[in-house]
Amino acid sequence: MTDQRKKATFAGGCFWCMVKPFDKWDGIHGVVSGYTGGQIANPTYETVKSGTTGHYEAVEITYDPFVISYETILEVYWRQIDPTDDDGQFHDRGDSYRTAIFYHNEEQKELAEKSRQLLENSGKFSKPIVTKVLSATTFYPAEAHHQDYYKKNEEHYLQDRAKSGRDKYIEEVWEE
């Protein structure tokens, strides 16, 4: 049998906080922290954080579509972010922390746009949905110490995540 794995790429603010929610799902084979959407090749954390590269902090997910659907991955994504904030996410501010769905093919584009419209029409948010749906460009993996940060630096990860306000927001908006 041939490998049917596909890619999904999302920007949702700090990439440290975007790995764990996807990592726990069956059918997810890997979640890589990195950078995409900018103008320079081989960006570093420091250059991206400076806000001068146009890159987003993002995660690239490798998944088996026969085990987990792209639609399910989109649902997980929406529940990790504030889709109405166009200047970052939670305590992380600036262009590199904006939200976006980077589609890899026309089917992903259609599904992302449809899910975005459904969220817009849901009445859940009083402000407009600003998360962009963009064509995937080159994805550059972040430096090794940023990979699986929630596992390697659990105490710091938990402190940073608690301080960010992300979990409080998720609980209030999604009642989880």
Side-chain angles (χ1 to χ4, degrees):
M1 185 157 108
T2 62
D3 190 348
Q4 298 294 317
R5 294 179 188 179
K6 294 190 177 193
K7 301 270 188 211
T9 305
F10 301 103
C14 173
F15 50 35
W16 293 348
C17 292
M18 293 299 292
V19 175
K20 186 177 181 180
F22 294 103
D23 226 9
K24 64 184 181 180
W25 286 80
D26 288 340
I28 302 291
H29 293 280
V31 184
V32 177
S33 296
Y35 319 107
T36 194
Q39 297 89 23
I40 69 164
N42 303 309
T44 65
Y45 180 75
E46 291 305 319
T47 60
V48 171
K49 192 174 172 181
S50 75
T52 61
T53 68
H55 285 288
Y56 294 71
E57 280 196 18
V59 290
E60 184 178 74
I61 300 162
T62 304
Y63 70 100
D64 182 340
F66 294 105
V67 179
I68 186 169
S69 69
Y70 187 68
E71 293 93 333
T72 298
I73 294 170
L74 285 166
E75 288 174 22
V76 173
Y77 170 71
W78 289 121
R79 284 170 167 73
Q80 306 311 311
I81 65 167
D82 175 353
T84 67
D85 188 345
D86 63 358
D87 190 36
Q89 288 292 286
F90 311 103
H91 74 157
D92 294 309
R93 311 312 300 157
D95 286 352
S96 63
Y97 298 112
R98 293 168 296 158
T99 60
I101 299 168
F102 294 92
Y103 61 87
H104 292 266
N105 57 45
E106 284 303 308
E107 179 185 20
Q108 283 187 354
K109 179 182 180 183
E110 289 172 18
L111 291 169
E113 288 175 343
K114 179 181 175 187
S115 73
R116 185 182 186 281
Q117 192 60 53
L118 287 170
L119 194 61
E120 183 80 52
N121 295 342
S122 72
K124 187 173 263 312
F125 300 97
S126 58
K127 297 190 289 186
I129 304 301
V130 296
T131 300
K132 294 179 179 165
V133 176
L134 304 169
S135 180
T137 58
T138 303
F139 181 87
Y140 298 96
E143 297 81 349
H145 63 276
H146 290 297
Q147 304 304 327
D148 296 318
Y149 194 85
Y150 80 95
K151 293 177 186 174
K152 294 184 208 173
N153 298 286
E154 183 178 14
E155 188 174 323
H156 183 257
Y157 166 78
L158 291 172
Q159 289 172 353
D160 188 66
R161 188 167 172 114
K163 182 174 66 174
S164 77
R166 186 183 293 258
D167 290 331
K168 182 179 181 204
Y169 173 87
I170 290 169
E171 186 177 312
E172 287 174 358
V173 172
W174 299 105
E175 302 175 53
E176 292 177 3

